[in-house]
């Protein structure tokens, strides 16, 4: 079930994909209830090292993942989920 949204193909709702040649590393067609939004996130020039627990913990603390979980339609939600 492929979805085309604004000329871009997605494998489904809430499934991040890489975006080559764009200004962000990933894109996701987020759906919450009946709301749909295209969310781009991630720095394409930066590598993440999520296999290092200290970096993972620091990233999630910096983005306040535990204290105030973000909305599914935000880039912060998808960025933290990817970590």
């Amino acid at each position: 079930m492929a979805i085309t949204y604004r000329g871009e193909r997605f494998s489904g709702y809430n499934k991040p994909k890489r975006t080559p040649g764009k200004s962000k590393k990933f894109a996701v067609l987020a759906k919450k209830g009946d709301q749909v939004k295209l969310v781009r996130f991630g720095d394409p020039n930066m590598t993440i090292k999520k296999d290092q627990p200290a970096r993972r913990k620091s990233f999630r603390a910096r983005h306040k993942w535990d204290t105030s979980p973000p909305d599914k339609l935000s880039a912060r939600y998808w960025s933290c989920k990817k970590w």
Side-chain angles (χ1 to χ4, degrees):
M1 175 185 114
I3 301 167
T4 303
Y5 183 80
R6 295 183 182 174
E8 211 168 331
R9 292 180 55 82
F10 292 88
S11 60
Y13 293 112
N14 301 323
K15 295 184 179 183
K17 70 169 193 165
R18 291 229 175 223
T19 54
K22 298 286 184 174
S23 60
K24 293 293 180 181
K25 189 181 272 191
F26 299 100
V28 63
L29 191 58
K31 185 173 184 178
K32 180 181 169 189
D34 59 349
Q35 283 184 303
V36 176
K37 183 177 177 182
L38 175 61
V39 179
R40 295 187 190 280
F41 64 98
D43 186 345
N45 302 317
M46 190 176 287
T47 60
I48 62 171
K49 297 179 176 75
K50 66 180 181 181
D51 58 332
Q52 297 177 9
R55 283 183 185 241
R56 186 182 187 105
K57 184 179 178 184
S58 179
F59 180 87
R60 287 181 165 228
R62 193 166 56 246
H63 290 87
K64 298 176 178 57
W65 178 256
D66 295 327
T67 57
S68 63
D71 186 35
K72 192 183 263 191
L73 300 176
S74 70
R76 182 171 69 122
Y77 173 88
W78 292 103
S79 186
C80 287
K81 186 171 174 146
K82 204 74 169 152
W83 267 76

